[in-house]
Amino acid sequence: MPEDSRKRAARRLAIARGHLESIRRSLDDPHVYCVDVLRQIKAVQGALDGAANVVLRGHLEAHVATAATRGDEQELVDELMDVLKYL
């Protein structure tokens, strides 16, 4: 994975971790408002989606764009089809 992609994905994951920790702490409060928790959960999901997009773009740029020159384009297509089931 390109270094820039790794750094950007790590930053987004750190943001998600911070949001997740905030949610966990808020659940210690018996008066926490459910809608606030749901909003924070959506923020974590957004940060995780952002990290996934960064990793995917890095993969496309570093590996898929050069697959034809290496001759492994079918393997990469199969790999991407498999991983896209989870995105």
Side-chain angles (χ1 to χ4, degrees):
M1 182 185 309
E3 183 177 354
D4 180 56
S5 296
R6 285 186 295 115
K7 287 181 179 180
R8 289 178 26 228
R11 182 177 181 281
R12 289 174 184 264
L13 290 173
I15 290 168
R17 180 175 41 196
H19 281 301
L20 195 56
E21 183 57 31
S22 174
I23 295 167
R24 195 197 59 72
R25 281 193 313 268
S26 73
L27 292 173
D28 291 338
D29 179 359
H31 303 293
V32 66
Y33 187 51
C34 301
V35 173
D36 292 339
V37 173
L38 291 170
R39 284 185 184 126
Q40 288 190 7
I41 289 171
K42 290 305 286 180
V44 170
Q45 289 172 332
L48 292 174
D49 287 344
N53 288 337
V54 167
V55 171
L56 178 59
R57 177 175 286 281
H59 182 68
L60 293 172
E61 291 172 350
H63 303 289
V64 176
T66 59
T69 59
R70 290 189 317 268
D72 62 352
E73 47 290 284
Q74 188 58 50
E75 292 171 31
L76 281 171
V77 168
D78 293 342
E79 180 181 64
L80 282 174
M81 292 305 295
D82 186 52
V83 78
L84 288 174
K85 290 187 265 185
Y86 304 104
L87 296 181

